[in-house]
Amino acid sequence: MEQSYLKRQPTTLAQAERRWHWLRHRLLHWEHPLWSALLAMAAYTIIAAKHGSLWHASEYAYFNYLADALLHGQVHLRVTPASIHDLSVFGGRYYLYWPPFPALALLPFVAVWGVGVSDILLTIGVGGLNVALVALLLRHASARGIIALSSLQRGLLVLFFALGTTHTALAPYGRVWYTGQLVGFACVALAYLAAIDLRRSVAFLCAGLALGGALLTRNHLVFAGLWPACYLLWRHWQEPSERGWRLFGYVLIGIGPVILAVTLLGMYNWLRFGSALDNGLAYHRMSAFFARDYQRYGAFDLHYLPINLFYQFVAYPFPWRPGSDMGGSLFVLSPVFFAALWGIVVGRPRWSVWALLATILLVAVPILLLMGTGWRQFGPRYTLDFTVPLLLLTALGIRRWPLWLIGLLTAISVLHYLIGSVYLGDVI
């Protein structure tokens, strides 16, 4: 019997080694930007297809309508959508209170295929782009010594982002709210990539352009530029030839696109509502669910802080529990993010850790004071706005974690969001 066991043992070990080699090879696909984008888009397409046609625009494809209006030289909607929920009504015309950059990005698609072009396919594409940007960001951050992860660890982290975070629940569905968040994420990721990978005036200019796009998509995303700004200043300060007036000039180059974006946004508001500071939020056709609180507290108030903290960091979205479609705990649904807490403790250099944490907090403040948690969703979707710096903190935290633990937490996260994404399509 002992001899029989000894004969089987080498075969068993060889089989285990082959299985590990197969799994390792699949994980490395996720580390590759192109492969990870294709795999993510395949998953998003399957989720979207379960809930209807991929070829038609969603009910709330409002950026399509704004793109159509802009193509015809106007800022109010030329064509009235079938649903006018959440649109702003001013002077008998319909407007979007959301900033216009996603509509600008849609101009060529609407110009060719019309206002009915599928925003579902477009968000699937942007979702795939975001996954590729995360893979690139982790690669370049490792090359620069900002993080220290193996290719397998990076593959797991990309897989986790693609299928185990709130990004999973946004990419397959189109809709104005999700489109804005996905485009905003892409702008922020590009700003971080530019800061990490480029040098001198080009780095500052490209990071500034990306942050200007982020501001023109979701205003508070400009705060996500704190860490890239700190990194650019620190990196160029290390070279004596780049200090002084030259560095000051670089800063002006980086700030320029952001100032331009603020100016353009003010002009856009003035053209619509006669004031550079009026974005139309006060005129939007909000759900009756929010109307009473809005009339009493406005759009931003400390009154909303407890409920936002609960639904974004504490609640678990049991389908049978009232409020299950108002969010869910960031860390419980995506437990890999617990590594970010460890990253705050052990991450180096310390200035980078504190800059990442400050960036997250700056972006989170408007989210936590906002009327509503995102509503009719799975997971804390507004937390996507600070997910880029959160991923870098997470990468610092998992550096010495065993692969089996990262894999287990990733599997839990993916299971949550695959189930939740299917559920999401049934509640909206």
Side-chain angles (χ1 to χ4, degrees):
M1 185 174 180
E2 184 177 350
Q3 289 179 346
S4 175
Y5 169 75
L6 291 174
K7 287 180 181 178
R8 289 198 307 268
Q9 189 179 29
T11 303
T12 303
L13 291 174
Q15 290 174 343
E17 185 176 343
R18 283 195 298 270
R19 283 195 294 269
W20 167 241
H21 179 76
W22 179 88
L23 180 59
R24 181 180 184 276
H25 186 66
R26 296 299 177 272
L27 286 176
L28 288 176
H29 280 328
W30 283 100
E31 193 273 340
H32 191 281
L34 178 58
W35 273 110
S36 62
L38 293 175
L39 290 168
M41 285 192 292
Y44 301 152
T45 301
I46 292 170
I47 294 170
K50 179 186 180 298
H51 298 288
S53 172
L54 301 173
W55 308 107
H56 302 289
S58 70
E59 184 179 4
Y60 305 106
Y62 296 155
F63 283 125
N64 289 14
Y65 291 86
L66 179 56
D68 170 77
L70 294 174
L71 286 169
H72 287 83
Q74 60 190 56
V75 291
H76 62 275
L77 299 191
R78 188 180 69 93
V79 179
T80 303
S83 171
I84 57 174
H85 171 67
D86 249 11
L87 289 176
S88 296
V89 184
F90 184 80
R93 294 171 170 173
Y94 292 104
Y95 299 87
L96 276 66
Y97 68 81
W98 302 275
F101 183 70
L104 295 174
L106 286 171
L107 285 177
F109 301 99
V110 174
V112 175
W113 289 289
V115 74
V117 63
S118 173
D119 60 326
I120 296 170
L121 289 177
L122 292 171
T123 55
I124 288 172
V126 176
L129 172 64
N130 287 343
V131 173
L133 289 174
V134 167
L136 278 172
L137 180 63
L138 294 177
R139 272 191 178 186
H140 290 287
S142 294
R144 292 288 183 189
I146 298 167
I147 61 176
L149 296 183
S150 68
S151 55
L152 282 176
Q153 288 173 314
R154 294 198 302 272
L156 278 170
L157 201 53
V158 175
L159 169 61
F160 160 68
F161 168 74
L163 298 180
T165 67
T166 190
H167 186 271
T168 317
L170 305 185
Y173 293 109
R175 305 188 176 111
V176 63
W177 309 280
Y178 303 169
T179 302
Q181 284 202 260
L182 293 166
V183 172
F185 182 95
C187 291
V188 172
L190 285 169
Y192 278 63
L193 265 174
I196 290 171
D197 202 42
L198 302 176
R199 297 190 63 192
R200 298 188 174 91
S201 59
V202 176
F204 283 84
L205 176 62
C206 290
L209 287 170
L211 288 172
L215 184 147
L216 286 171
T217 302
R218 291 172 65 78
N219 298 158
H220 62 282
L221 287 182
V222 71
F223 298 134
L226 175 62
W227 185 87
C230 291
Y231 179 77
L232 282 169
L233 291 172
W234 171 82
R235 184 177 168 195
H236 287 79
W237 190 259
Q238 306 307 304
E239 303 178 31
S241 63
E242 301 294 336
R243 297 178 185 176
W245 286 107
R246 179 171 291 184
L247 184 55
F248 180 71
Y250 292 162
V251 171
L252 291 180
I253 290 172
I255 292 175
V258 177
I259 294 175
L260 177 61
V262 172
T263 304
L264 291 174
L265 186 61
M267 293 173 60
Y268 178 63
N269 289 339
W270 181 80
L271 286 171
R272 297 183 299 163
F273 309 118
S275 170
L277 300 179
D278 190 348
N279 65 0
L281 186 62
Y283 321 121
H284 87 285
R285 296 173 57 87
M286 71 185 71
S287 168
F289 182 82
F290 300 110
R292 180 180 297 179
D293 276 351
Y294 179 80
Q295 291 169 2
R296 183 172 181 181
Y297 301 104
F300 294 90
D301 195 90
L302 284 171
H303 168 78
Y304 305 118
L305 182 61
I307 191 170
N308 283 329
L309 286 172
F310 176 75
Y311 281 109
Q312 293 183 27
F313 297 101
V314 178
Y316 190 87
F318 293 108
W320 58 85
R321 184 181 59 79
S324 64
D325 56 357
M326 292 180 66
S329 171
L330 172 69
F331 295 103
V332 173
L333 293 179
S334 301
V336 177
F337 280 140
F338 278 115
L341 304 179
W342 186 237
I344 295 172
V345 176
V346 301
R348 295 292 186 275
R350 297 306 295 166
W351 72 262
S352 181
V353 172
W354 295 124
L356 287 169
L357 181 59
T359 302
I360 292 169
L361 294 175
L362 275 175
V363 178
V365 166
I367 295 170
L368 294 174
L369 299 180
L370 177 65
M371 171 189 67
T373 63
W375 202 47
R376 298 184 70 79
Q377 65 192 30
F378 182 88
R381 71 175 176 91
Y382 286 157
T383 63
L384 184 69
D385 293 347
F386 56 73
T387 291
V388 174
L390 184 62
L391 280 170
L392 290 179
L393 264 184
T394 303
L396 291 173
I398 66 171
R399 177 183 177 183
R400 299 189 183 279
W401 284 19
L403 278 175
W404 68 264
L405 178 58
I406 305 170
L408 175 62
L409 296 179
T410 298
I412 294 171
S413 305
V414 170
L415 185 62
H416 271 139
Y417 273 96
L418 289 184
I419 294 173
S421 296
V422 172
Y423 162 71
L424 174 67
D426 294 328
V427 299
I428 291 188

